[in-house]
Amino acid sequence: MTIIVAYTPDEPSRHALRFAATEAQHRGEPVVVVNSSRGTAPVDRQLAEESDLEQIRSMMASANVAHSIEQPNRGNDPVEEVLAAIDNHKASMVVIGTRKRSPVGKLLLGSTAQQIILQSEVPVVAVKPV
């Protein structure tokens, strides 16, 4: 079994990574970090840069957690990529970071976190920064 983390380079995702590392230690499971975007913008803030990836590697190494990072670039929706990772890695759970959004923001923009929660066939843990 594997723990999947849906990751974007922001504070909620860093909290999700820390939670996943701790959970992976307790369960003895590896972590797969999925960082994806449709790739339709010239500059995409959803994609992690090398410095972000190095922070992930360092965090997981210091926690002594086996891990891998996937950055699929197939033009798929990030939700599709996370759901595919769940199947591909026989995930036991998914960890996502959440941020506060207004009801109108949720209505107009949708919510990746919400879609993952509703469509995942494994438990989803939503972690918010405190």
Side-chain angles (χ1 to χ4, degrees), residues 34-121:
V34 179
N35 173 236
S36 177
S37 165
R38 281 190 186 266
T40 56
V43 176
D44 194 339
R45 291 191 167 100
Q46 300 300 313
L47 287 178
E49 297 178 356
E50 188 55 40
S51 61
D52 301 310
L53 300 177
E54 189 52 43
Q55 286 179 345
I56 293 169
R57 291 182 194 106
S58 176
M59 179 189 301
M60 292 298 162
S62 67
N64 199 27
V65 171
H67 67 282
S68 62
I69 301 170
E70 296 182 357
Q71 283 188 300
N73 187 11
R74 298 182 282 246
N76 293 336
D77 184 81
V79 173
E80 293 175 38
E81 297 295 356
V82 170
L83 295 175
I86 291 169
D87 290 337
N88 294 341
H89 297 284
K90 310 269 187 280
S92 61
M93 70 186 307
V94 178
V95 182
I96 57 175
T98 60
R99 64 185 58 78
K100 185 172 180 142
R101 297 178 61 192
S102 70
V104 173
K106 291 176 192 172
L107 177 67
L108 295 176
L109 300 175
S111 169
T112 300
Q114 181 179 1
Q115 290 176 34
I116 291 170
I117 290 168
L118 294 174
Q119 295 179 38
S120 174
E121 294 189 14

